[in-house]
Amino acid sequence: MKLITDMYQTLLTGLENGIFTITINRPDKLNALNKTVLDELDQAMQTVYEDNKIRAAIITGQGGKAFVAGADIAEFIGINDEDGPMLAGKGQQIFFKIENCPKPVVAAVNGFALGGGCELAMACHFRLASDNAKFGQPEVNLGLIPGYGGTQRLTMLVGKGKAMELMMSGNMIDAVEAKELGLINHVTTAESLLEKTKEILNVILSKSPTAVSKVIQAVNAFYDFDKNGFNEEIKLFGEVFSSADKKEGTTAFIEKRKPVFKGN
């Protein structure tokens, strides 16, 4: 994997076979999200959007203990009710950038995913976790609530009742329960987590990039109250019919050969 490390203070990045891996690199702080991490995550995601060599991304954490164990609480000291909305707004803007990325972005959760870390994982299109992973929104323990989209995405993923329980109690759940609830898709060993994540992404990358992008857009419309998801699906379904990928896919099917998609 080609590593690109000189651009960032708190991230490690690498590109291999079209998959861009973004690793939060603050293991001494359990990869906690501070201002620099958020700014650099925003920059890294902009690279995912703009670099044509990147076809998918993985977000993970450095070390074996944590994906992201939460926000850096030291930065919360001195923040008041005027500063709070700006902090939450910035975090939400970056996480929407992940959620709405036209290329697949998958979380490989390798340990604690708490608070902002759980919110980061939930902003990804889907999640895999190692068997030592723990998930939770424990903000109530600090007299706070989730602010980076956690109240909304956790409810969408696990349902109102369980989301209420987890956020009001601050309790953590393990990877097995997270999978049972639909919060994550797969549980693996720590050693095979990235391998399994790349295996799934390689299947996705064999499909039409245009169609995959439209799937992301259509599914996200279900959760956008400003849109009618069914109408959005109709519009996007029509758009793919004018794509070269649709012509290649249907022609290859009729000719009984493997399609060669180019993402247009």
Side-chain angles (χ1 to χ4, degrees):
M1 180 166 61
K2 182 181 179 184
L3 285 173
I4 309 167
T5 58
D6 54 345
M7 292 175 59
Y8 305 108
Q9 298 177 42
T10 64
L11 304 181
L12 299 173
T13 59
L15 180 62
E16 183 178 30
N17 299 324
I19 299 174
F20 188 62
T21 302
I22 302 168
T23 306
I24 314 296
N25 186 33
R26 300 183 74 211
D28 57 322
K29 301 291 186 181
L30 297 179
N31 301 321
L33 298 176
N34 63 8
K35 181 180 183 300
T36 304
V37 174
L38 288 171
D39 287 342
E40 294 189 340
L41 191 56
D42 191 19
Q43 294 170 34
M45 283 307 305
Q46 192 63 37
T47 299
V48 174
Y49 273 73
E50 295 175 354
D51 191 333
N52 291 332
K53 296 188 296 295
I54 298 173
R55 297 185 59 202
I58 297 170
I59 299 179
T60 192
Q62 180 72 350
K65 291 184 178 180
F67 170 72
V68 170
D72 195 328
I73 305 305
E75 291 192 343
F76 287 5
I77 305 301
I79 291 180
N80 57 31
D81 58 352
E82 294 182 359
D83 300 326
M86 289 189 292
L87 178 64
K90 177 180 178 179
Q92 287 195 16
Q93 175 259 317
I94 296 167
F95 288 6
F96 275 127
K97 194 172 194 175
I98 295 169
E99 184 173 66
N100 294 314
C101 182
K103 303 172 185 179
V105 182
V106 181
V109 180
N110 56 319
F112 290 109
L114 306 176
C118 189
E119 291 172 299
L120 172 59
M122 292 190 295
C124 296
H125 296 138
F126 58 91
R127 292 145 292 285
L128 286 78
S130 56
D131 50 18
N132 68 322
K134 304 283 187 184
F135 296 84
Q137 299 287 166
E139 287 86 350
V140 291
N141 295 328
L142 301 171
L144 297 168
I145 69 169
Y148 295 166
T151 61
Q152 306 302 297
R153 291 193 180 96
L154 187 62
T155 305
M156 293 171 189
L157 288 165
V158 307
K160 181 179 177 181
K162 193 62 182 181
M164 284 282 200
E165 178 189 343
L166 289 171
M167 286 185 280
M168 290 193 290
S169 68
N171 288 343
M172 292 187 294
I173 57 173
D174 62 19
V176 173
E177 184 173 358
K179 183 174 183 294
E180 291 173 351
L181 291 171
L183 182 57
I184 62 174
N185 292 32
H186 301 275
V187 180
T188 75
T189 64
E191 294 75 19
S192 61
L193 176 60
L194 284 178
E195 179 184 350
K196 178 66 174 177
T197 307
K198 291 176 182 178
E199 177 186 319
I200 294 171
L201 278 174
N202 282 326
V203 172
I204 294 171
L205 293 183
S206 72
K207 314 304 179 184
S208 159
T210 303
V212 168
S213 174
K214 300 296 187 187
V215 166
I216 293 168
Q217 195 174 341
V219 172
N220 283 346
F222 177 82
Y223 299 103
D224 187 338
F225 295 120
D226 293 327
K227 295 178 180 177
N228 180 304
F230 288 99
N231 289 342
E232 186 73 4
E233 182 183 284
I234 290 171
K235 178 177 77 73
L236 296 168
F237 185 77
E239 289 177 4
V240 294
F241 268 79
S242 64
S243 71
D245 275 1
K246 174 264 175 184
K247 181 178 180 180
E248 168 62 12
T250 52
T251 301
F253 179 83
I254 292 168
E255 295 177 352
K256 295 180 170 57
R257 62 175 173 82
K258 187 175 181 180
V260 180
F261 294 119
K262 296 182 179 178
N264 52 30

